[in-house]
């Protein structure tokens, strides 16, 4: 910032003297420039040693009183609030191993059912009996293969879907597995409508096309039938095979089961032939020694 040449300390002094002469005031002396002065520094107030100790003691007592008050309020809150309930037990899925193991199976006499030339085995649990009838072998592709389980249960049926039943029964039959399932349907039989599903069963050596079935009446029947040479069995063949289930002579069966097996068979199913029919040869007619025999002569040559 540039200063005017006629505006300096001498000009200010002259202007001051002229002003004094004009107003009749004594000379105020030379004019000094105004300079900033440093302010005085405020000093903290010092307390005596006794007053400092009293102040520290008062603060300590106040803090202890606040802590004691908070402790009293917290204890009263705990007494007033009800106790929290125990945390619920963690959720355990149904497929985890149950706490109580199911009862073990016991072998039983296979003296109740028959089905053609099928072999029969039986096992029991408290309130449950299962008779398994098997005809043929899974590995022999040239012959039919049948597996039928007749279950007598005192409780309600809780087996789930037909696919679940098939998978469980296949695992029990020598470790078979369900590779694929196809069409589902129902087939009429003398026991009622059979629920069926086409399925491909497999083991470590091969596969077979089969039709699984299930029906729950007085007796729960479930299993499958496999036709020869990789073909699916006809629905009527499945129904007729199940219909051949019968009671052994003298078997002690529950009344509903006995009435179920004694019902008439469907006309579309041929009667089962006795197992001994094909084993006994037809008797040959004896030839008497004195019987006349016909002699064949050679024609005369020309």
């Amino acid at each position: 910032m540039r200063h005017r040449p006629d505006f300096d300390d001498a000009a200010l002094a002259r202007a001051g003297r002229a002003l004094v002469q004009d107003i009749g005031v004594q000379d105020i002396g030379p004019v000094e420039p105004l300079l900033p002065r440093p302010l005085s520094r405020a000093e903290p107030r010092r307390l005596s040693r006794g007053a400092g100790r009293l102040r520290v003691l008062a603060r300590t007592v106040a803090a202890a009183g606040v802590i004691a008050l908070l402790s009293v309020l917290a204890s009263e809150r705990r007494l007033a609030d009800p106790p929290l309930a125990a945390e619920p037990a963690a959720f355990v899925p149904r497929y985890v191993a149950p706490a109580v193991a199911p009862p073990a199976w016991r072998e039983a006499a296979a003296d109740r059912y028959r089905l053609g030339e099928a072999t029969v085995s039986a096992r029991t649990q408290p309130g449950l009996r299962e008779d398994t009838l098997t005809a043929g072998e899974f590995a022999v592709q040239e012959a039919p293969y049948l597996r039928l389980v007749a279950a007598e249960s005192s409780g309600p049926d809780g087996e789930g879907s037909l696919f679940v039943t098939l998978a469980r029964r296949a695992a029990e039959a020598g470790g078979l597995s369900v590779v694929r399932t196809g069409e589902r349907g129902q087939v009429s039989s003398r026991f009622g409508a059979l629920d069926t599903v086409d399925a491909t069963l497999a083991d470590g050596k091969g596969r077979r096309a089969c039709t699984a079935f299930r029906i729950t009446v007085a007796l729960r029947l479930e299993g499958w039938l496999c036709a020869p040479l990789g073909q699916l069995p006809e629905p009527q063949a499945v129904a007729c095979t199940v219909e051949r289930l019968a009671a052994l002579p003298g078997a002690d069966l529950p009344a509903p089961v006995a009435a179920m097996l004694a019902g008439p068979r469907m006309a579309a199913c041929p009667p089962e032939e006795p197992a001994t029919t094909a084993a006994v040869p037809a008797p040959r007619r004896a030839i008497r020694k004195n019987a006349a025999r016909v002699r064949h002569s050679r024609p005369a040559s020309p």
Side-chain angles (χ1 to χ4, degrees):
M1 180 178 178
R2 296 178 58 186
H3 295 280
R4 294 175 55 182
D6 56 346
F7 188 79
D8 52 9
D9 293 342
L12 291 176
R14 289 193 299 271
R17 285 193 293 270
L19 180 62
V20 170
Q21 292 176 2
D22 292 339
I23 61 176
V25 182
Q26 295 181 359
D27 190 3
I28 59 176
V31 178
E32 296 180 1
L34 298 177
L35 298 176
R37 296 180 180 180
L39 298 177
S40 61
R41 189 171 184 180
E43 303 224 356
R45 184 176 57 178
R46 295 182 179 179
L47 300 176
S48 62
R49 182 176 297 179
R53 289 181 179 179
L54 290 176
R55 174 170 292 184
V56 172
L57 181 60
R59 290 179 179 178
T60 304
V61 172
V66 171
I67 294 174
L69 179 61
L70 292 177
S71 301
V72 172
L73 293 178
S75 61
E76 292 180 355
R77 177 70 177 273
R78 286 195 299 269
L79 294 176
D81 293 342
L84 296 177
E87 295 184 0
F91 172 74
V92 179
R94 293 184 61 184
Y95 50 81
V96 177
V100 180
W105 288 99
R106 294 184 305 172
E107 297 296 326
D111 55 358
R112 296 202 173 192
Y113 306 102
R114 62 181 178 87
L115 181 60
E117 298 297 325
T119 59
V120 188
S121 62
R123 59 181 185 173
T124 60
Q125 279 186 3
L128 178 63
R129 175 189 171 102
E130 290 186 355
D131 289 76
T132 303
L133 300 94
T134 307
E137 295 182 7
F138 184 81
V140 181
Q141 298 278 346
E142 295 78 15
Y145 174 60
L146 169 70
R147 185 177 177 88
L148 184 146
V149 179
E152 302 175 14
S153 176
S154 59
D157 178 23
E159 295 296 326
S161 65
L162 178 56
F163 177 81
V164 174
T165 302
L166 173 60
R168 182 172 63 86
R169 294 300 184 186
E172 294 176 353
L176 299 179
S177 61
V178 182
V179 178
R180 183 173 57 253
T181 57
E183 297 182 359
R184 300 188 59 176
Q186 287 188 338
V187 179
S188 299
S189 71
R190 69 185 179 112
F191 301 138
L194 295 173
D195 292 328
T196 64
V197 60
D198 296 335
T200 301
L201 304 182
D203 61 359
K205 299 180 180 179
R207 301 182 178 186
R208 297 197 68 167
C210 311
T211 298
F213 55 84
R214 183 179 67 175
I215 184 173
T216 302
V217 281
L219 186 66
R220 189 170 74 245
L221 305 177
E222 51 198 27
W224 59 82
L225 175 65
C226 308
L229 303 178
Q231 301 296 321
L232 282 172
E234 294 292 334
Q236 191 62 39
V238 177
C240 293
T241 301
V242 176
E243 276 201 3
R244 293 192 179 99
L245 179 67
L248 287 173
D252 185 15
L253 297 176
V257 176
M260 166 187 164
L261 297 178
R265 296 185 179 182
M266 293 193 308
C269 296
E272 183 180 1
E273 296 181 359
T276 57
T277 302
V280 178
R284 298 179 61 183
R285 187 175 59 180
I287 301 176
R288 292 182 300 174
K289 293 183 179 181
N290 57 353
R293 297 184 179 180
V294 177
R295 298 181 62 183
H296 299 276
S297 60
R298 296 177 59 185
S301 57

